[in-house]
């Protein structure tokens, strides 16, 4: 069960994001906004964990607890959290068990459809992604026949310098008193919220300047001061009516099936084709999600409402606050390379916080990511006609 975010926390998150991205924001303003956000998360997580504790403290059935998100701890995890409880907090020289962050990412991907499409590989300080392009042919013939064909491949590598992703969590002394299993629950809820927000923003809109490169960015564009430019629109989708949707989405999938494969930085690439049936996801802002859904929802003879989109499952339409309104990203699943390490270091955040009997910790992780190729995602404009207004010549994606 994910963290239940209150309106107060959602507002604090928005305020923190707005302040932290302002070039003229002062350190005092950023710290104040972060204090409000971290405190709100801690209050939500603390209340949720205490409520779950009161409800389940006498339950001994691990299957029931596991189903509620209260994991059975490994021996290493149990020892780790026992040491945390005895010490009254996390120590900087403690090594976090790898399984803690693995579970955090499992839970994040379960709760966030966008992140569920991404395969996170373990990382070190520098990680190489090896790419290969096959050439040559395989030839059928009798056993031991002279070689008439051979398989060869061109190889290249993309080297990722890992970036620091610092996640914060505020934990009260009262929570530490609940015991290892519940401290684990609290920590995972807080880290899930912090890490999920950071990764979703990076995967969609990261500009590559000390951050991952997002799907909205043009890998082949001119990079200025480390910042990748936005992709130009591949066309406009209107979802005007059933025949128009068939044509528009057929062209979206057709475009996604064609890509330029590059095996290295200096490779000019070769045009390739891939099967994309069931693999294309439409990522949109929530304001457009329901506009699209309304266009494809009808009532059947049994009175039930059903939603059907040509060629694409409704489950493959994904909401993300990181996508600008009236934009749509058509993403081919599996075409984003991401790396993520376990917690490398935890330390007490030195800034003064107003919350009493609580400590703010910062956890350093390593990670990076970028689309596997520039055709991993195409960006489209959305222009759904206003009800009652028709267009004789709806615009479709450029072929």
């Amino acid at each position: 069960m994910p963290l239940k975010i209150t309106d107060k926390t959602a507002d604090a998150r928005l305020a923190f994001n707005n302040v932290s991205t302002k070039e003229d924001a002062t350190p005092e303003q950023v710290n104040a906004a972060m204090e409000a956000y971290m405190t709100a998360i801690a209050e939500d997580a603390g209340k949720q964990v205490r409520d779950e504790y009161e409800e389940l403290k006498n339950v001994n059935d691990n299957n029931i607890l596991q189903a509620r998100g209260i994991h059975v701890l490994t021996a290493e995890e149990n020892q780790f959290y026992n040491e945390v409880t005895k010490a009254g907090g996390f120590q900087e020289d403690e090594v976090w068990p790898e399984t803690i962050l693995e579970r955090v990412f499992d839970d994040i991907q379960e709760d966030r459809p966008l992140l569920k499409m991404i395969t996170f590989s373990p990382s070190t300080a520098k990680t190489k992604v090896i790419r290969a392009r096959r050439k040559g042919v395989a030839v059928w013939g009798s056993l031991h026949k002279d070689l008439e064909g051979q398989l060869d491949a061109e190889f290249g590598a993309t080297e990722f310098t890992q970036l620091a992703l610092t996640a914060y969590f505020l934990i009260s002394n009262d929570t530490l008193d609940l015991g290892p299993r519940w401290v684990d629950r609290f920590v995972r809820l807080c880290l899930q919220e912090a890490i999920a927000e950071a990764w979703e923003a990076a995967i969609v809109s990261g500009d590559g300047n000390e951050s991952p490169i997002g799907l909205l960015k043009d890998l082949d564009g001119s990079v200025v001061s480390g910042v990748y430019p936005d992709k130009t629109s591949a066309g406009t989708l209107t979802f005007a009516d059933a025949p128009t949707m068939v044509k528009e989405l057929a062209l979206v999938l057709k475009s996604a099936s064609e890509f330029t494969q590059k095996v290295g930085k200096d490779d000019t690439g070769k045009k390739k084709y891939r099967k994309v049936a069931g693999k294309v996801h439409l990522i949109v802002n929530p304001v457009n999600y329901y506009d699209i859904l309304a266009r494809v929802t009808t009532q059947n003879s049994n009175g039930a409402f059903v939603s059907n989109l040509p060629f694409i499952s409704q489950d493959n339409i994904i909401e993300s606050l990181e996508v600008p309104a009236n934009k749509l990203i058509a993403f081919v699943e599996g075409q984003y390379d991401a790396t993520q390490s376990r917690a490398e270091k935890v330390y007490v955040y030195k800034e003064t916080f107003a919350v009493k009997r609580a400590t703010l910790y910062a956890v350093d992780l390593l990670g990076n990511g970028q689309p596997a190729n520039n055709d991993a995602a195409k960006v489209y404009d959305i222009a759904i006609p206003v009800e009652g207004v028709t267009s004789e010549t709806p615009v479709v994606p450029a072929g």
Side-chain angles (χ1 to χ4, degrees), residues 108 111-116 118 120 194-206 214-215 283-284 286 318-323 336:
I108 285 173
D111 299 331
R112 300 250 181 167
L114 176 61
L115 299 183
K116 194 172 186 177
I118 307 299
F120 290 92
I195 294 173
E197 284 294 318
W199 262 115
E200 184 161 323
I203 289 169
V204 173
S205 58
L215 299 174
I283 311 171
V284 296
I318 295 172
E319 297 178 82
S320 174
L321 294 171
E322 302 303 325
V323 180
Y336 191 93

Side-chain angles (χ1 to χ4, degrees), residues 177-307:
D177 294 339
L178 298 180
R181 206 162 183 174
W182 297 97
V183 174
D184 173 71
R185 174 65 169 156
F186 179 90
V187 169
R188 284 189 296 105
L189 284 174
C190 291
L191 289 181
Q192 284 168 34
E193 172 66 14
I195 294 173
E197 284 294 318
W199 262 115
E200 184 161 323
I203 289 169
V204 173
S205 58
D207 62 14
N209 184 20
E210 297 188 355
S211 76
I213 305 171
L215 299 174
L216 289 171
K217 301 302 176 179
D218 185 354
L219 297 181
D220 296 333
S222 298
V223 180
V224 179
S225 300
V227 175
Y228 284 77
D230 287 338
K231 286 184 172 180
T232 57
S233 175
T236 301
L237 303 176
T238 66
F239 299 91
D241 51 41
T244 302
M245 276 188 270
V246 169
K247 292 177 182 178
E248 290 179 347
L249 293 178
L251 284 172
V252 169
L253 268 66
K254 179 181 178 180
S255 178
S257 67
E258 182 180 305
F259 70 106
T260 300
Q261 186 184 34
K262 297 181 179 181
V263 296
K265 183 178 180 181
D266 299 322
D267 183 20
T268 56
K270 292 183 179 179
K271 184 179 291 187
K272 295 281 186 178
Y273 300 94
R274 58 193 169 199
K275 296 179 180 179
V276 296
K279 297 179 182 179
V280 175
H281 298 258
L282 308 181
I283 311 171
V284 296
N285 188 284
V287 74
N288 298 121
Y289 176 84
Y290 291 100
D291 288 337
I292 295 171
L293 215 58
R295 289 271 164 177
V296 299
T297 301
T298 57
Q299 190 173 25
N300 64 21
S301 58
N302 295 322
F305 287 94
V306 293
S307 301

Side-chain angles (χ1 to χ4, degrees), residues 33-324:
M34 185 171 74
E35 176 177 353
Y37 182 30
M38 293 300 106
T39 302
I41 290 177
E43 288 174 352
D44 287 351
K47 181 181 185 306
Q48 185 169 327
V49 168
R50 285 191 295 274
D51 289 347
E52 291 172 347
Y53 174 79
E54 289 301 324
E55 179 185 354
L56 301 170
K57 63 184 178 182
N58 295 320
V59 175
N60 297 315
D61 188 328
N62 284 329
N63 290 327
I64 294 175
L65 293 172
Q66 190 84 12
R68 294 291 299 274
I70 319 300
H71 290 300
V72 177
L73 302 184
T74 66
E76 185 182 13
E77 290 170 344
N78 202 56
Q79 180 180 355
F80 172 74
Y81 284 118
N82 270 321
E83 292 298 325
V84 169
T85 302
K86 289 178 185 177
F90 294 84
Q91 304 301 305
E92 294 189 11
D93 57 348
E94 285 178 316
V95 178
W96 285 48
E98 291 185 30
T99 48
I100 293 176
L101 195 67
E102 287 173 359
R103 284 178 173 172
V104 167
F105 268 85
D106 287 344
D107 291 340
I108 285 173
Q109 290 183 297
E110 185 66 29
D111 299 331
R112 300 250 181 167
L114 176 61
L115 299 183
K116 194 172 186 177
M117 299 184 294
I118 307 299
T119 300
F120 290 92
S121 302
S123 68
T124 54
K126 284 193 175 181
T127 300
K128 284 187 177 180
V129 176
I130 307 298
R131 306 189 194 282
R133 181 168 58 229
R134 191 180 70 180
K135 60 181 182 179
V137 293
V139 178
W140 288 101
S142 58
L143 190 62
H144 304 309
K145 184 181 179 181
D146 290 341
L147 185 64
E148 292 183 359
Q150 65 176 15
L151 284 177
D152 196 2
E154 297 169 335
F155 290 94
T158 300
E159 185 172 84
F160 285 158
T161 298
Q162 300 304 301
L163 303 169
L165 171 61
T166 303
Y168 300 90
F169 66 95
L170 183 71
I171 188 168
S172 68
N173 298 343
D174 293 342
T175 302
L176 291 174
D177 294 339
L178 298 180
R181 206 162 183 174
W182 297 97
V183 174
D184 173 71
R185 174 65 169 156
F186 179 90
V187 169
R188 284 189 296 105
L189 284 174
C190 291
L191 289 181
Q192 284 168 34
E193 172 66 14
I195 294 173
E197 284 294 318
W199 262 115
E200 184 161 323
I203 289 169
V204 173
S205 58
D207 62 14
N209 184 20
E210 297 188 355
S211 76
I213 305 171
L215 299 174
L216 289 171
K217 301 302 176 179
D218 185 354
L219 297 181
D220 296 333
S222 298
V223 180
V224 179
S225 300
V227 175
Y228 284 77
D230 287 338
K231 286 184 172 180
T232 57
S233 175
T236 301
L237 303 176
T238 66
F239 299 91
D241 51 41
T244 302
M245 276 188 270
V246 169
K247 292 177 182 178
E248 290 179 347
L249 293 178
L251 284 172
V252 169
L253 268 66
K254 179 181 178 180
S255 178
S257 67
E258 182 180 305
F259 70 106
T260 300
Q261 186 184 34
K262 297 181 179 181
V263 296
K265 183 178 180 181
D266 299 322
D267 183 20
T268 56
K270 292 183 179 179
K271 184 179 291 187
K272 295 281 186 178
Y273 300 94
R274 58 193 169 199
K275 296 179 180 179
V276 296
K279 297 179 182 179
V280 175
H281 298 258
L282 308 181
I283 311 171
V284 296
N285 188 284
V287 74
N288 298 121
Y289 176 84
Y290 291 100
D291 288 337
I292 295 171
L293 215 58
R295 289 271 164 177
V296 299
T297 301
T298 57
Q299 190 173 25
N300 64 21
S301 58
N302 295 322
F305 287 94
V306 293
S307 301
N308 288 295
L309 208 63
F311 314 121
I312 295 175
S313 166
Q314 181 188 336
D315 292 339
N316 283 19
I317 309 176
I318 295 172
E319 297 178 82
S320 174
L321 294 171
E322 302 303 325
V323 180

Side-chain angles (χ1 to χ4, degrees), residues 335-383:
Q335 295 298 298
Y336 191 93
D337 298 324
T339 61
Q340 179 68 68
S341 77
R342 75 179 188 180
E344 294 292 327
K345 181 182 178 182
V346 58
Y347 49 92
V348 177
Y349 193 65
K350 300 300 183 183
E351 298 297 331
T352 302
F353 266 52
V355 179
K356 304 299 182 184
R357 301 189 74 249
T359 306
L360 179 70
Y361 293 96
V363 181
D364 279 347
L365 313 169
L366 297 177
N368 208 341
Q370 69 176 56
N373 54 73
N374 207 33
D375 299 305
K378 298 287 179 70
V379 179
Y380 295 88
D381 293 311
I382 297 175

